């Protein structure tokens, strides 16, 4: 274990930053960290939690009965695990539901089309929408189409997401999801269709948030699976005019209500300062939300529990399971509003919302004076094969975006290997069997080490 | 190339069987074989054929418009490729259609259930079937249930298929598909559900043929995807009573008509004797029938074409694309009936119907006196990394079963690696992207070598 050899060095031999790091934690605290890490790596708790949530509740779209069950489940779990404080905070969001979706390619030959409505999409007519499609390779190509040129047509963006360990392919691809329907409607299209924001070669369509714009006609808005997109690309390459039939039935139910569910391990000497461990409790309705974000729920709950099982740190650890992330970070936004006068109480915030593959690197976004604490934490993550990224410009997970905007909280990233994440993300195939238990344990151990050390460092970590 | 070194040996040094093999083919014929092999390995033809069939026609359930298109496609391709004779032969089958399928787990929590109707299944009521399920781990367990014990229930068989290079897991698993609904109904069940006969861990349900029995109530008959089956197993392990809702709408349309499509390369000296290269043109309706059996169609058509591109062999090569295999080998049965007095004209029969992974072994089922020809062919398959299995007890593909029963034809197996085949077989995920072009070429080359040599050997291969 690295810290033993570090401490064995005479202090004078340490570089200044190492010395400063060593001053933040006693030998006892570091031994303690090692125990927590070991304990978390051996514990089945995070697996049990994600198994229970995804099996007994399953999909949990905000506002549904299952969402209510998930809130009750989370509260009961926090209580069962002996968190010192457990409470709910209201969150509001636009309540949207999916009832039916189906589709076919009609010409040149009838074939099923594996599609899904994008979140927030309006319905087609009861008996569906039939129209020829016009293919654009990118959203920019669609944007360049002349006004009115798509009258009576379905605009189709064929952009293929790139696979990447950090999910860097997602951002460029997701623009076509967020705003494609608006651009298409502005050109006169009566429907919008896109290749799924997905790296999967299986026949699953990927859902996700999308938006309309005031004053622009709201048109049905779907994504198709990659093999179906390949099929359409081949047909068009053959010179065929492809006509499709789409039937999606959805409903806008106005404002919905749910809850951020919060469990706190209360610090023994500075209880008002806290480490924020974030994840989101809601999921899309297609899968069971195992990777997105049952894993994060399980990792953060279990990590805090593992710390508490040893001893209470100086500061608190607050696990917040945010509501309605998928529909637009609504729980996180409401949290930031409700806690706006105390966001500087957060000494470290990190979110687990990128599946369940291993954490491979650790990065901060903190005031330079707090870097010695960061280095000391990084040292304790090394036995978990977590590298240190010294750029100090970490972005948190999606629920931390409102916190980043408020610029009051030190942000941390425990970078997960996301190479395969977008094979499952937002599809029916996001189910428990896609999680490997040993990887989940590694994540839990990394979050436990991080949470304990950030909560028990001599000094409070400062925001930039 | 192996044959060169073989021929370079003094003839007296050859073992008797090698000598006998050498007598079946001239040096020129063996050079010819090498050219055909090389040509097939370099040709894109089989890829072009499977791409065209699965893209332009797509799924082709017997009796559908797409099935008619497939027949027209196949006839046109044979003609385009310059086959000497091209004709259709009528085939009849029970015409069954799938219109709708959906399902949910209702208790303890509402969750989508990925299911598919098994072929031949009756519909549920218009608004579906809701009932608690009773789990049996095997068909044998269900068979052991007391009569009447399943009244008002859905019987559910949770048997999991094993992965195996030769697909040996399929047989034991498929019994629950063929006859499960009959056994369930005999115990009073109002519906039958089973874990898919599939090795996939993705959320695809596997369809396939199933049967009812005269005098036993016909109950709706579905398979669920493996992740859904895992979910139900977990819920039941938790002590939950699982109730499901199933809605399948299907139709029995009586007797349907389609065609075996046949293309022949006519032999120059013994045209009535022929090598039968089999595959089936129909597919299930969920995927595009790429692995099952677009690949086989493409491999056999292209193989015969590659032989013909060099020269006509002594005997004919008849490529038969059978109709309605999926519904019960109907095209093959009709062929055997129509050709019952000339099945001994077949000098070698092999079917490609096991996906598009590489051929790894070659096996015969012929009269012992013909084994020298088999050995000579095996020698020419070695450069393709195809091993020889000397057991001489090959079974052909499914369409060859009626031929095997007739006991008139020498049967051959070009064993493919089927390790991953049941990840896709009979699911929506059986699409073109699952085929690797270089493996398709290897298959095509193996069939071309086999077809040419069996058609051009000095002696006619004899049946056992």
């Amino acid at each position: 274990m690295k810290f033993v050899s570090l401490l064995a060095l005479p202090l004078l031999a340490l570089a200044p930053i190492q010395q400063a790091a060593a001053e933040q934690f006693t030998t006892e605290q570091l031994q303690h960290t090692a125990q927590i890490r070991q304990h978390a790596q051996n514990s089945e708790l995070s697996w049990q939690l994600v198994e229970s949530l995804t099996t007994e509740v399953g999909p949990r779209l905000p506002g549904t009965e299952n969402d209510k069950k998930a809130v009750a489940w989370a509260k009961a779990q926090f209580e069962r695990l002996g968190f010192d404080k457990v409470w709910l905070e209201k969150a509001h969001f636009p309540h949207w539901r999916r009832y039916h979706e189906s589709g076919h390619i009609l010409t040149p030959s009838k074939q099923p089309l594996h599609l899904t409505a994008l979140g927030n999409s309006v319905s087609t007519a009861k008996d569906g929408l039939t129209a020829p499609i016009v293919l654009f390779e990118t959203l920019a190509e669609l944007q360049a189409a002349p006004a009115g040129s798509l009258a009576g047509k379905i605009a189709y963006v064929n952009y293929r997401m790139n696979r990447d360990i950090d999910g860097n392919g997602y951002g460029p691809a997701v623009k076509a999801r967020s705003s494609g329907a608006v651009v298409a409607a502005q050109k006169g299209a009566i429907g919008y269709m896109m290749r799924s924001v997905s790296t999967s070669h299986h026949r699953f369509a990927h859902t996700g948030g999308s938006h309309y714009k005031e004053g622009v006609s709201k048109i049905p808005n779907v994504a198709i699976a990659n093999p179906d997109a390949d099929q359409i690309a081949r047909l068009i390459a053959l010179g065929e005019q492809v006509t499709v039939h789409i039937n999606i039935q959805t409903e806008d139910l106005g404002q919905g209500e749910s809850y951020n569910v919060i469990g706190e391990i209360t610090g023994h000497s500075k209880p008002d300062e806290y480490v924020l461990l974030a994840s989101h409790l809601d999921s899309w309705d297609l899968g069971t939300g195992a990777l997105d974000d049952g894993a994060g729920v399980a990792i953060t709950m279990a990590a805090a529990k593992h710390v508490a099982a040893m001893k209470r740190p100086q500061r608190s650890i607050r696990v917040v399971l945010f509501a309605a992330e998928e529909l637009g970070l609504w729980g996180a936004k409401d949290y930031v509003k409700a806690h706006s006068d105390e966001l500087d109480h957060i000494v470290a915030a990190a979110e687990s919302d990128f599946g369940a593959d291993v954490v491979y690197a650790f990065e901060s976004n903190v005031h330079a004076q707090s870097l010695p604490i960061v280095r000391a934490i990084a040292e304790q993550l090394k036995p978990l094969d977590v590298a240190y990224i010294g750029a100090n410009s970490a972005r948190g997970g999606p629920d931390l975006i409102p916190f980043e905007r408020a610029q009051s909280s030190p942000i941390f990233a425990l970078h997960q290997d996301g190479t395969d994440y977008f094979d499952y993300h937002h599809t029916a195939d996001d189910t428990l069997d896609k999680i490997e238990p040993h990887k989940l344990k590694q994540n839990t151990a990394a979050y436990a080490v991080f949470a304990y050390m950030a909560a028990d460092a001599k000094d409070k970590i400062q925001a930039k």
Side-chain angles (χ1 to χ4, degrees), chain A:
Chain A
M1 274 164 267
K2 267 290 164 53
F3 73 90
V4 176
S5 58
L6 178 66
L7 292 169
L9 288 171
L11 274 183
L12 289 177
L14 293 174
I17 192 143
Q18 286 173 307
Q19 190 175 334
E23 284 167 5
Q24 288 293 326
F25 298 96
T26 64
T27 306
E28 196 196 346
Q29 283 177 307
L30 294 181
Q31 284 169 345
H32 211 80
T33 305
Q35 284 166 356
I36 290 170
R37 189 174 58 223
Q38 190 69 32
H39 176 63
Q41 282 180 283
N42 292 331
S43 168
E44 303 294 330
L45 180 58
S46 51
W47 176 262
Q48 288 159 358
L49 288 168
V50 70
E51 181 180 34
S52 172
L53 175 62
T54 60
T55 301
E56 294 169 66
V57 180
R60 41 200 184 278
L61 193 69
T64 58
E65 273 307 303
N66 280 18
D67 185 40
K68 292 185 182 66
K69 285 185 184 177
V71 168
W73 175 92
K75 183 166 177 287
Q77 294 294 338
F78 276 133
E79 287 165 353
R80 178 180 76 83
L81 295 172
F83 277 66
D84 300 313
K85 293 181 193 161
V86 181
W87 72 99
L88 308 183
E89 297 187 3
K90 272 192 186 166
H92 295 93
F93 53 88
H95 186 180
W96 177 87
R97 297 285 275 275
R98 176 197 324 270
Y99 298 118
H100 170 83
E101 50 197 26
S102 61
H104 281 89
I105 296 173
L106 294 182
T107 63
S109 192
K110 191 174 179 192
Q111 313 190 23
L113 194 53
H114 284 240
L115 61 76
T116 191
L118 293 173
N120 199 36
S121 176
V122 295
S123 300
T124 59
K126 268 265 152 64
D127 58 351
L129 166 68
T130 300
I133 67 168
V134 181
L135 181 146
F136 301 91
E137 290 298 346
T138 61
L139 180 63
E141 269 191 20
L142 171 60
Q143 280 161 335
S149 62
L150 298 176
K153 306 280 174 62
I154 293 172
Y156 170 54
V157 172
N158 187 38
Y159 182 85
R160 187 190 290 270
M161 178 185 173
N162 293 309
R163 189 180 291 277
D164 177 68
I165 188 171
D166 293 308
N168 282 315
Y170 190 61
V174 91
K175 286 177 198 164
R177 192 185 79 201
S178 319
S179 60
V182 171
V183 180
Q186 284 167 335
K187 312 293 181 182
I190 56 173
Y192 177 70
M193 186 167 96
M194 65 181 290
R195 182 188 279 269
S196 282
V197 180
S198 168
T199 52
S200 175
H201 68 288
H202 297 290
R203 217 156 167 203
F204 297 107
H206 159 281
T207 189
S210 72
H211 307 289
Y212 293 116
K213 192 172 167 181
E214 189 118 355
V216 179
S217 158
K218 296 181 178 185
I219 59 176
N221 195 6
V222 304
I224 63 174
N226 269 322
D228 298 74
D230 295 341
Q231 184 80 327
I232 285 177
R234 280 190 295 267
L235 286 169
I236 287 176
L238 286 168
E240 299 285 356
Q241 170 61 69
V242 177
T243 296
V244 301
H245 175 77
I246 292 170
N247 191 331
I248 58 174
Q249 301 302 323
T250 64
E251 192 176 7
D252 176 350
L253 291 159
Q255 195 183 57
E257 190 174 283
S258 186
Y259 296 92
N260 295 326
V261 185
I262 305 171
E264 189 178 275
I265 302 297
T266 305
H268 64 74
S269 60
K270 295 165 187 166
D272 292 345
E273 294 177 10
Y274 66 94
V275 174
L276 172 65
L277 297 189
S279 65
H280 63 86
L281 187 55
D282 66 308
S283 80
W284 283 104
D285 48 343
L286 301 177
T288 61
L291 293 170
D292 185 14
D293 183 24
V297 167
I299 289 163
T300 54
M301 288 179 95
K305 166 66 183 172
H306 293 322
V307 174
M310 296 290 165
K311 74 163 196 183
R312 296 291 178 279
Q314 296 178 61
R315 301 176 190 82
S316 298
I317 299 173
R318 193 178 287 185
V319 178
V320 184
L321 313 180
F322 288 108
E325 186 270 348
E326 297 295 4
L327 303 180
L329 320 178
W330 296 100
K333 287 175 188 166
D334 281 346
Y335 184 97
V336 166
K337 257 184 247 162
H339 297 263
S340 61
D341 59 345
E342 47 161 65
L343 292 177
D344 59 351
H345 292 192
I346 297 172
V347 302
E351 177 165 34
S352 174
D353 182 23
F354 202 52
D357 211 331
V358 292
V359 174
Y360 77 88
F362 175 65
E363 187 182 3
S364 62
N365 192 336
V366 303
H367 195 286
Q369 74 185 57
S370 299
L371 286 175
I373 304 176
V374 173
R375 298 251 177 169
I377 297 173
E379 201 61 27
Q380 296 305 318
L381 292 171
K382 281 188 187 168
L384 297 169
D385 286 327
V386 178
Y388 174 51
I389 296 175
N392 194 34
S393 51
R395 304 278 318 265
D399 287 302
L400 297 186
I401 293 172
F403 294 81
E404 288 166 357
R405 286 190 186 133
Q407 296 185 317
S408 307
S409 314
I411 301 290
F412 288 82
L414 283 78
H415 294 287
Q416 286 176 277
D417 183 334
T419 308
D420 300 333
Y421 182 58
F422 292 100
D423 288 352
Y424 305 110
H425 179 251
H426 292 194
T427 73
D429 209 25
D430 178 4
T431 51
L432 183 64
D433 51 297
K434 310 309 181 303
I435 298 180
E436 295 177 66
H438 73 280
K439 293 182 173 179
L440 196 69
K441 287 178 184 174
Q442 189 260 8
N443 274 270
T444 308
Y447 272 86
V449 164
F450 161 72
Y452 167 68
M453 293 184 78
D456 217 30
K458 183 165 138 286
D459 297 328
K460 178 174 184 278
I461 300 171
Q462 304 292 333
K464 259 185 190 165

